[in-house]
Amino acid sequence: MYPIILASSSPRRQEILKLLNIPFVVNPANIEETYPSDMKSEKVAEYLAVKKVKAVMDSFDSETEATWILGADTLIILDGKIYGQPKSQEEACSFLQDFQGKTHKVVTGIALYNPESKQIVSRSSTSKVTFADMSSDEIEWYLNTGEWHGAAGGYRIQGLASCFIKNISGTESAVMGLPIFELYDILKTQNYSLIS
């Protein structure tokens, strides 16, 4: 198997690649997370995943041999509003106040550069997450754990936030930031085999 460049520093995405025994190198993409104002919110994560792959491609000089590059981005959508990673504990608090007692969408976009075809293929995975009602003490307790740092929407499904998640419709790996089924399917269509 060829090593894949992961255009993300997310420990969760690294865990998933390790689980699949995919060799990888971490090379986080440094992008402005901007997108066209008329873009449908469900398409934004996939657009940003492609943007991350292109940023890593652009960072190489012409002498560097092309390789496989994987980008991913996770966003939360509630009532048409997009929630990314909170910039502060106060913003994480407002996110959780919005989510509690409601169901929101978690959209993860993934993009893969195939050096053989010289093409980027991408797709999205959407899950729905329902939070229980949370008291202000519960929100404060959760925020004080620090889990909100670097997490879309200010929570981690695989951590203590699971105390408040009543239901998930979709896949846990997609909510964690790298949907295993979609990743495997893209790799298979691009003739990158996990089966030796």
Side-chain angles (χ1 to χ4, degrees):
M1 265 189 285
Y2 294 104
I4 288 178
I5 292 176
L6 176 62
S8 165
S9 58
S10 162
R12 263 61 49 198
R13 292 181 182 129
Q14 293 175 45
E15 284 167 21
I16 290 169
L17 291 179
K18 285 175 188 169
L19 173 73
L20 296 171
N21 289 316
I22 296 173
F24 67 93
V25 177
V26 175
N27 185 354
N30 187 15
I31 64 161
E32 286 285 324
E33 298 209 353
T34 54
Y35 49 88
S37 58
D38 59 346
M39 181 172 279
K40 288 187 176 174
S41 50
E42 283 79 5
K43 290 288 179 190
V44 171
E46 190 173 332
Y47 174 85
L48 293 175
V50 170
K51 202 171 173 181
K52 288 177 181 180
V53 168
K54 288 179 176 174
V56 171
M57 288 170 67
D58 291 346
S59 71
F60 296 137
D61 58 40
S62 57
E63 304 299 310
T64 307
E65 194 175 328
T67 188
W68 298 84
I69 304 168
L70 176 66
D73 196 82
T74 303
L75 296 171
I76 286 172
I77 303 166
L78 177 63
D79 300 329
K81 180 181 172 185
I82 293 176
Y83 296 77
Q85 296 178 11
K87 295 174 181 65
S88 65
Q89 186 160 320
E90 293 71 31
E91 189 172 37
C93 181
S94 79
F95 286 5
L96 293 176
Q97 286 168 342
D98 288 352
F99 300 156
Q100 58 100 20
K102 295 178 186 163
T103 299
H104 60 258
K105 288 181 188 173
V106 179
V107 182
T108 295
I110 59 173
L112 181 75
Y113 173 70
N114 180 338
E116 290 159 13
S117 67
K118 308 223 179 323
Q119 299 291 316
I120 297 173
V121 288
S122 64
R123 66 182 66 173
S124 295
S125 172
T126 301
S127 301
K128 290 182 179 177
V129 176
T130 304
F131 264 74
D133 290 317
M134 297 170 74
S135 68
S136 54
D137 285 346
E138 287 173 323
I139 290 174
E140 185 180 358
W141 169 77
Y142 181 70
L143 293 171
N144 286 335
T145 68
E147 270 189 9
W148 62 271
H149 283 284
Y155 73 88
R156 297 193 194 286
I157 193 171
Q158 72 279 18
L160 293 170
S162 55
C163 293
F164 309 109
I165 293 170
K166 283 170 70 171
N167 188 52
I168 300 169
S169 173
T171 62
E172 191 168 326
S173 63
V175 180
M176 284 173 64
L178 195 58
I180 292 173
F181 173 78
E182 285 78 3
L183 174 61
Y184 178 74
D185 201 45
I186 275 186
L187 290 169
K188 196 163 63 169
T189 63
Q190 298 304 304
N191 298 315
Y192 184 104
S193 178
L194 301 188
I195 304 166
S196 46

